[in-house]
Amino acid sequence: MPQLTTQREAKFRARRDQIINAARDCFRRQGFHGAGMAEIAALSELSVGQIYRCFTNKDAIIEEIVRRIVNNKMLMIARDETNLNRLAGDLAYRVIHRDAQTRDDDQALMLEVAAEATRNPVVALILQDADTLLFRQASEMLKRLYPVLSDTEIAARVELIAVMTEGTDFRMLTAQKASPTPVI
């Protein structure tokens, strides 16, 4: 019986992944309002009913997408923890993620999430929770690297890094006006 449960769980996870991948594509092309559950179902090759068995509504899909993007960012923070010079170079060159396709998709989706958060209190809460989680992890990382800094100093530095990285997401949409080489 345990193997049957494991197979069911694997099938459920695979189905959720199908839905998330289809929803990411739909949301990226048409925004949250423009993308309907029927289109997500068609792209994922599932029925709308199958989607609702995995996610209660479109907000739950958005929440899962944000959760995955945040988890990827947290992995990146952990991976690059001791290489702050690389972070400075990445920001100067407007490279936040190593995989260009993931970067473009994640940036576009998070901009869409931010826009939707201004209209939808559920999405605003999802975004707020994601920000709190990322802020906490970045603060813990800086505290390990710079134990002499106070909590106030750590928070100020994390806020500055957040502004720069999120600003980099937006700035990716515009032409770079200065050479990044003097920064690194």
Side-chain angles (χ1 to χ4, degrees):
M1 196 62 142
Q3 186 177 2
L4 186 59
T5 302
T6 304
Q7 288 173 341
R8 281 187 184 147
E9 289 170 357
K11 187 175 180 179
F12 183 75
R13 280 191 307 274
R15 187 165 284 152
R16 284 176 62 94
D17 289 345
Q18 268 180 278
I19 295 164
I20 292 300
N21 291 334
R24 283 178 64 100
D25 187 42
C26 291
F27 294 158
R28 173 109 164 65
R29 286 185 290 111
Q30 299 175 350
F32 293 135
H33 290 289
M37 292 300 259
E39 183 181 4
I40 295 169
L43 194 58
S44 65
E45 299 178 350
L46 299 168
S47 70
V48 173
Q50 287 173 304
I51 290 176
Y52 281 118
R53 284 198 257 322
C54 295
F55 297 97
T56 55
N57 54 33
K58 206 186 310 186
D59 290 344
I61 295 172
I62 295 167
E63 183 173 12
E64 180 62 16
I65 289 170
V66 170
R67 187 189 68 74
R68 290 178 184 203
I69 290 170
V70 166
N71 284 344
N72 287 337
K73 284 184 178 186
M74 289 186 350
L75 288 172
M76 183 192 70
I77 290 170
R79 182 191 68 227
D80 294 342
E81 179 172 329
T82 58
N83 198 341
L84 295 179
N85 288 333
R86 186 163 121 187
L87 175 63
D90 287 352
L91 288 171
Y93 281 99
R94 299 179 178 189
V95 177
I96 301 301
H97 308 278
R98 295 285 173 229
D99 172 22
Q101 184 61 45
T102 300
R103 177 187 66 230
D104 293 347
D105 287 351
D106 286 357
Q107 288 169 331
L109 286 167
M110 289 309 288
L111 288 172
E112 183 67 30
V113 168
E116 182 65 17
T118 65
R119 301 179 289 268
N120 182 333
V122 173
V123 175
L125 186 58
I126 291 167
L127 188 60
Q128 204 170 46
D129 290 346
D131 180 69
T132 299
L133 189 61
L134 282 169
F135 196 91
R136 185 178 326 119
Q137 179 170 351
S139 296
E140 290 168 3
M141 178 198 76
L142 280 183
K143 193 63 171 172
R144 281 191 303 275
L145 292 173
Y146 303 100
V148 297
L149 294 178
S150 71
D151 289 345
T152 302
E153 292 168 318
I154 293 286
R157 284 165 172 77
V158 170
E159 186 65 30
L160 179 63
I161 292 168
V163 167
M164 287 190 303
T165 57
E166 291 165 9
T168 300
D169 286 346
F170 178 74
R171 297 291 297 167
M172 290 293 299
L173 303 173
T174 63
Q176 191 154 357
K177 294 168 184 57
S179 171
T181 52
V183 175
I184 56 172

